[in-house]
Amino acid sequence: MDHEKRFLKQSFLGSERRGYHHGRLKDALIEAARSLIAQRGPAGFTLAEAAKLVGVTAAAPYRHFSDREDLMGELARRGFEQFAVRLSAAWDAGRPDPMTAFRRMGTAYLGFAKEEPGLYTAMFSNAANLKPAETGAAGQSALDILIGASAVVLQHSGASVRGARTLAMQIWTLSHGAATLMLGGHLDAANPDCDPHEILMRSVTALVQSAVEPAASPPGRG
């Protein structure tokens, strides 16, 4: 990460003297926060540390963010927007078939968490402090993609789409658990039976089957 620190400092050092044209300082602070959170976790950075990494005074960030949580909220919003794009691309309108595309979304979920730990941590670390009007809308967009995909999978399997939201929330919970354990080093593909991708795929398949089977095999009448 040292090269990131050098790049940020070289790119934005003295930005206070040059001004804040086109939000360069704001973007630099967001990038600094992303880097710090990826290294230290959500509690591992302050606005002052982000300012130091960028090369500006401790007071400079307050021209763009009211406090640390405000910066975290913006980082989370951007993360959810990128996350929704990643999920939508993975779903790809359910091609070549809904279940294959559904599993591909799971792979994209874990991939995003692994590739963007700073964004992912900001997105899910402290929902109570995020601004619902901004971050909530971005998060809902990602969830809506998963709900829509769940509806298509259920319909394709002959089940009622009324269970789509429930299925989506169950899969989101599973995916988040697998991603969190993976980021914490508790799940590792190199260890037998600890591959987060394989665990998630088996779990998703089981959840879909449990949602479909009651519809396919209704209980007999007494």
Side-chain angles (χ1 to χ4, degrees), residues 91 98-99 102 146-168 170-171 207-215:
W91 172 242
M99 199 61 200
F102 209 41
L146 182 54
I147 292 173
S150 297
V152 174
V153 168
L154 290 174
Q155 185 177 43
H156 184 77
S157 302
S160 171
V161 299
R162 288 181 296 178
R165 182 177 179 84
T166 297
L167 178 61
Q170 291 171 339
I171 289 175
L207 276 175
V208 172
Q209 288 176 345
S210 68
V212 170
E213 287 171 0

Side-chain angles (χ1 to χ4, degrees), residues 169-193:
M169 292 303 299
Q170 291 171 339
I171 289 175
W172 192 315
T173 301
L174 274 173
S175 301
H176 182 66
T180 301
L181 290 171
M182 176 186 68
L183 292 177
H186 302 290
L187 292 179
D188 187 344
N191 295 327
D193 302 318

